[in-house]
């Protein structure tokens, strides 16, 4: 399902169990795109009349109807802790939380019509056969060994897969032959058009694979200022590669709530997107376009799928000189066209209708 989704037929509301991150709360300011996506999807599904129960980590937005997955480690003996197979405590805590959740869902078969695994954990895939209701899993990342292993537990994996982009679906095709493509969407009523400005903007998790240091380099070469916003996912990286280059024209605005981030992005001349990995989708692209801010970035991962010539310019990955040269042509693009692309290609409404259609097909 890769084209413009059609509205699902009006039928009875669905009872949906939405499995989210156990590590990061589904609450603003979001830890990353996955948490923001989960919040948007659950809110939109509830607005369309569905009964949504979100299983998520402590501290999540209570307005989502969250049942918390407590991150408490199993009681592991000192002898077991000394075993060479012992893993780090955070990994074991998450494993225990998802294992407990899947066992509870297996014991209460009539509570939901379907389970949507929107986490990155492998257990909802590995244990899907234990549930009497369908399981949908969204592929948010490139292939991981844990999920590939979980898919192969049974001769026929009963999970219905979706992927956030055709690029991501293709990356998994060797083991998931037919994932349904449902592009991530943003609420274009919350991400409103902005007036633009003089500076560039970079937003996202501040980690090496997102490449904020490359955005700084390109901004300096272009002669434009750059405003950076996002959570410090890797403080060592921030201290080594970002903080030393902050100054009058390069600023860090902090980890912002959505209204403030919307204002920042909408008041910028262009958004710079610099993935150093195969970006599965790039939610910051959709957010920028919804704010009518054109995108200048690296042609890597799903970005060529999301960014068109009407709303952005893409250059070879890692080429900051080319990125700097593309800044002014990007700024010259129509902000109205950028907004229009967000409304038609990556809106919350389009995403929700696609998921609703998928849910009804697997729950039938």
């Amino acid at each position: 399902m890769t084209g413009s989704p059609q509205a699902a037929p009006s039928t009875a509301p669905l009872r949906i169990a939405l499995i989210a991150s156990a590590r990061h709360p589904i609450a603003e300011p979001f830890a990353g795109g996955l948490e923001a996506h989960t919040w948007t999807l659950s809110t939109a599904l509830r607005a369309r009349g569905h009964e949504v129960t979100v299983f998520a980590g402590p501290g999540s937005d209570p307005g989502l109807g969250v049942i918390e997955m407590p991150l408490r480690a199993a009681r592991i003996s000192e002898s077991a802790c000394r075993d060479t197979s012992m893993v780090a405590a955070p990994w074991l805590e998450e494993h225990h939380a998802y294992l407990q959740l899947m066992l509870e869902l297996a014991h209460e078969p009539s509570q939901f019509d379907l389970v949507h695994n929107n986490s990155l954990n492998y257990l909802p895939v590995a244990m899907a056969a234990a549930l009497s209701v369908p399981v949908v899993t969204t592929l948010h990342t490139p292939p991981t060994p844990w999920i590939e292993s979980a898919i192969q537990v049974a001769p026929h994996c009963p999970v219905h897969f979706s992927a956030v982009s055709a690029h991501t679906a293709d990356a998994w095709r060797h083991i998931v032959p037919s994932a349904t493509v449902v592009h991530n969407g943003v609420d274009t009523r919350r991400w409103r058009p902005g007036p633009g400005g003089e500076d560039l903007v970079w937003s996202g998790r501040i980690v090496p694979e997102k490449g904020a240091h490359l955005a700084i380099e390109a901004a300096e070469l272009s002669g434009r200022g750059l405003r950076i916003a996002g959570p410090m996912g890797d403080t060592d990286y921030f201290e080594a590669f970002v903080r030393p280059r902050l100054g009058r024209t390069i600023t860090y605005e902090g980890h912002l709530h959505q209204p403030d981030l919307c204002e920042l992005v909408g008041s910028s001349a262009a958004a710079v997107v610099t993935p150093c990995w195969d970006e599965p989708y790039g939610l910051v692209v959709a957010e920028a376009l919804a704010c009518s801010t054109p995108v200048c970035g690296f042609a890597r991962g799903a970005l060529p799928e999301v960014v068109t010539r009407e709303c952005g310019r893409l250059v070879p990955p890692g080429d900051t000189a080319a990125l700097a040269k593309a800044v002014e042509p990007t700024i010259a693009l129509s902000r109205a066209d950028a907004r229009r692309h967000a409304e038609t290609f990556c809106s919350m409404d389009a995403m929700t209708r696609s998921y609703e259609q998928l849910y009804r097909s697997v729950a039938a």
Side-chain angles (χ1 to χ4, degrees), residues 71-77 81 86 89 92-93 95-97:
L71 286 173
R72 58 175 183 270
R75 291 188 294 272
I76 308 298
S77 68
C81 287
M86 182 61 185
L92 188 60
E93 289 174 354
H95 169 84
H96 193 67

Side-chain angles (χ1 to χ4, degrees), residues 193-248:
E198 295 299 319
D199 292 336
L200 306 174
V201 67
W202 184 98
S203 60
R205 289 184 299 116
I206 303 178
V207 292
E209 62 266 27
K210 298 292 185 178
H213 64 291
L214 299 178
I216 294 173
E217 185 175 328
E220 291 175 338
L221 289 172
S222 74
R224 293 268 180 173
L226 176 69
R227 297 180 291 178
I228 299 170
M232 293 185 198
D234 187 327
T235 54
D236 291 340
Y237 167 73
F238 180 86
E239 295 298 331
F241 293 94
V242 178
R243 188 182 295 282
R245 303 176 76 171
L246 299 180
R248 185 178 59 84

